[in-house]
Amino acid sequence: MTILRTVFFLSDSTAITAETLGHSLLTQFESIRFKENSCPFINSIEKAEEVKEQINLAKQKNGAPPLIFSTLMAPQLKEIIKDSDGFLIDFFETFTPQLEQELQSTATHAIGRSHGMGNFSKYISRIDALNFTINHDDGGSLKHYDEAQIILIGVSRSGKTPACFYLSLRYGIHTANYPLTDTDVDISYLPKSLKKFRDKLFGLSISAERLHQIRSKRYPDSKYASLKQCKFEAQRAELIYRQEGIPFVNTTNMSVEEIAITILQEAKLYRHL
Amino acid sequence: MTILRTVFFLSDSTAITAETLGHSLLTQFESIRFKENSCPFINSIEKAEEVKEQINLAKQKNGAPPLIFSTLMAPQLKEIIKDSDGFLIDFFETFTPQLEQELQSTATHAIGRSHGMGNFSKYISRIDALNFTINHDDGGSLKHYDEAQIILIGVSRSGKTPACFYLSLRYGIHTANYPLTDTDVDISYLPKSLKKFRDKLFGLSISAERLHQIRSKRYPDSKYASLKQCKFEAQRAELIYRQEGIPFVNTTNMSVEEIAITILQEAKLYRHL
């Protein structure tokens, strides 16, 4: 029998930090199923009381105390939650005192700073990077490739687009991507238009089986999704990377985050955010 | 004089968790400047030893011990880092024992689970949502609006595009966005093409001053960026939302994350990820 535990992520801001912390801890308990509730913007006594009631209700329903991952700052609101029937993990209360001592400095205890707006020029960098990526997705417009910090290349469905958007949206990096089409990989040759940007190229490779699985989802039983075609394209793409000395990452077992961070690190990209 | 402290984010995987948690703690110390080093994929003794050396070097250079935020799992690697000259904050070691006791279950201590690939259908949902957003950005193709979970509307540069991409890439939500152009706001009228999707509409409003500031960055001294034009558009857009009963959020002082999470919550969207 799978055990079910209710979980609450509480924050006076987006709850992104509370969720990140909670998720990385909870993925360590595979035998338990967690029913998650995200509670962002808990910034008033009314809202805190409301969440407390939800927590207490969940306790009544399940028997076991709900887990609470909290990044609340305001002492008044924290008191309300402490008084609930949940099992509380208070992120700031745990680490802030240690840091205050080590840094010989008092924490501001200001709410919701880490995913807030930040300064105007960072906001603009982020929007500019995102617009750049939108305009340079899938081989769109090579006109401004000299402004790209990195250009991802790979066969269709090797993971270029999500990695690109992740890099621009999260790190403000001007990222373009260019598909190696059947014709390019057929002749085992780097497309001419890319040659002068060789220093900015980064390849994505993928196993033929995985590519076949992904392509089949959208275009089942097509030549495009056939294992034979996928094998052909995957092998030729890797050959191009090796022949041209282009760094590449094998995306077969990687999440979007892992692909993006690997590229960030290997290409030594400067993060704007 | 600003104090400078070096910071290391250590992980056997992406280091996203270590960075997120570390940042939210460090933003509480405004008087100190932090020089941050991200160290993802520390998954061998060699790499751990290398980081340890960097940490010790930073200590020699600065005097003060570098701060280390770690989500390392492997005991062997943790020992190496513990033995460094840094001040270590170990997220899992702090909370895992409490959780094991509360859950009456042993943590797997498997590395790098929280930003890993997850299952295939979640991967596909995410890619599908992202492709949907790419195809339905800025009023592109209304053909599949019935498949949208939400459609953001607002004047140019009110924050629609980044919020859309954030919702699709992070939460797998099919998000479209449609610009209220000068003509639409001129006649204070919801564009006809949107009427039948009214239940999916969510408006973004913004202060005229902020809009002027953002638009001026790209098109200084244009009519488009003038305060007068921005005032006109911002007021009319809000009028449309009110007249038509469309929920809306004022994005003036919000980050992309805050806008996205507010929409997620107010529109009660189902997260696929």
Side-chain angles (χ1 to χ4, degrees), chain B residues 21-239:
Chain B
L21 302 181
H23 278 150
S24 53
L25 287 166
L26 296 180
T27 45
Q28 301 293 316
F29 298 92
E30 289 179 344
S31 61
I32 301 172
R33 205 157 60 82
F34 297 102
K35 192 184 162 218
E36 302 182 354
N37 300 279
S38 218
C39 309
F41 307 118
I42 304 299
N43 47 21
S44 69
I45 291 183
E46 293 69 37
K47 286 186 190 172
E49 291 282 5
E50 209 178 288
V51 172
K52 179 183 161 186
E53 244 173 76
Q54 287 177 37
I55 294 168
N56 292 351
L57 263 171
K59 164 75 166 46
Q60 273 180 36
K61 227 174 124 185
N62 293 346
L67 305 180
I68 308 168
F69 295 97
S70 166
T71 57
L72 285 179
M73 282 284 177
Q76 251 188 319
L77 307 186
K78 280 163 84 156
E79 282 309 316
I80 296 170
I81 302 303
K82 273 184 195 162
D83 192 42
S84 78
D85 298 338
F87 177 81
L88 177 63
I89 291 213
D90 183 321
F91 290 114
F92 291 132
E93 204 156 286
T94 306
F95 296 119
T96 305
Q98 299 176 41
L99 275 173
E100 285 184 321
Q101 205 189 342
E102 172 63 26
L103 294 172
Q104 295 282 306
S105 175
T106 310
T108 57
H109 298 286
I111 70 166
R113 308 190 61 84
S114 64
H115 299 281
M117 196 165 55
N119 68 40
F120 183 65
S121 74
K122 283 198 176 177
Y123 177 82
I124 293 290
S125 305
R126 184 178 199 176
I127 306 304
D128 281 351
L130 177 59
N131 285 330
F132 184 88
T133 296
I134 291 171
N135 295 329
H136 298 84
D137 182 38
D138 207 26
S141 169
L142 279 70
K143 228 172 33 187
H144 301 289
Y145 264 25
D146 46 330
E147 292 166 27
Q149 286 180 262
I150 190 135
I151 302 160
L152 307 188
I153 59 175
V155 302
S156 164
R157 293 275 159 160
S158 54
K160 300 181 300 297
T161 293
C164 264
F165 278 94
Y166 194 87
L167 286 169
S168 66
L169 197 56
R170 186 169 171 117
Y171 300 109
I173 292 169
H174 284 55
T175 318
N177 75 77
Y178 191 98
L180 293 177
T181 63
D182 192 316
T183 326
D184 300 325
V185 290
D186 200 9
I187 51 174
S188 307
Y189 196 69
L190 189 67
K192 256 191 196 151
S193 47
L194 293 180
K195 293 230 162 185
K196 62 174 171 170
F197 303 109
R198 189 177 321 207
D199 291 352
K200 296 181 177 185
L201 299 181
F202 204 102
L204 304 193
S205 70
I206 185 167
S207 81
E209 291 69 25
R210 176 76 176 165
L211 190 60
H212 166 63
Q213 188 191 23
I214 296 173
R215 288 185 174 182
S216 296
K217 191 82 191 174
R218 180 63 74 89
Y219 302 102
D221 308 319
S222 61
K223 184 195 168 207
Y224 165 78
S226 69
L227 189 58
K228 188 181 162 203
Q229 176 69 16
C230 290
K231 247 182 201 156
F232 174 74
E233 292 188 33
Q235 283 173 359
R236 292 300 171 98
E238 223 175 290
L239 197 69

Side-chain angles (χ1 to χ4, degrees), chain A residues 158-188:
Chain A
S158 54
K160 301 181 299 298
T161 293
C164 263
F165 278 94
Y166 195 87
L167 285 170
S168 66
L169 197 55
R170 187 169 170 115
Y171 299 109
I173 292 170
H174 284 56
T175 318
N177 75 79
Y178 191 97
L180 294 176
T181 63
D182 193 316
T183 326
D184 300 324
V185 291
D186 200 10
I187 51 173
S188 307

